[in-house]
Amino acid sequence: MPLNKKQKKQIDVLRQKIQKLRLQLSGAKQQMDDPQEVERLQQQINTHEAEIEKIKSAS
């Protein structure tokens, strides 16, 4: 079954968040002021990617 408008919007928003987080992650890796920040950002990206997969598999 194809995705409905709400699901498409949720995926779009999550992809935008992932894109911003990847930029932050890139900067955090260059600075390395707080090593835990890199781990936290990566964990957030993984969570959002899992959410996208969950939405896709539910349809």
Side-chain angles (χ1 to χ4, degrees):
M1 179 155 78
L3 300 172
N4 63 34
K5 287 183 182 182
K6 183 179 177 184
Q7 291 169 321
K8 287 180 183 179
K9 181 66 176 175
Q10 286 176 323
I11 289 173
D12 188 42
V13 169
L14 287 169
R15 285 185 176 148
Q16 289 175 9
K17 287 181 181 181
I18 289 170
Q19 188 175 19
K20 288 180 186 178
L21 286 168
R22 285 193 173 134
L23 289 173
Q24 290 177 347
L25 180 61
S26 175
K29 283 182 178 179
Q30 289 176 356
Q31 293 270 316
M32 288 303 278
D33 293 336
D34 184 6
Q36 290 182 347
E37 184 178 11
V38 172
E39 186 177 317
R40 180 184 58 81
L41 291 168
Q42 187 61 55
Q43 188 174 13
Q44 286 180 339
I45 290 170
N46 294 342
T47 302
H48 291 322
E49 288 174 343
E51 186 82 20
I52 289 173
E53 290 304 315
K54 182 177 157 187
I55 292 169
K56 285 182 177 181
S57 67
S59 64

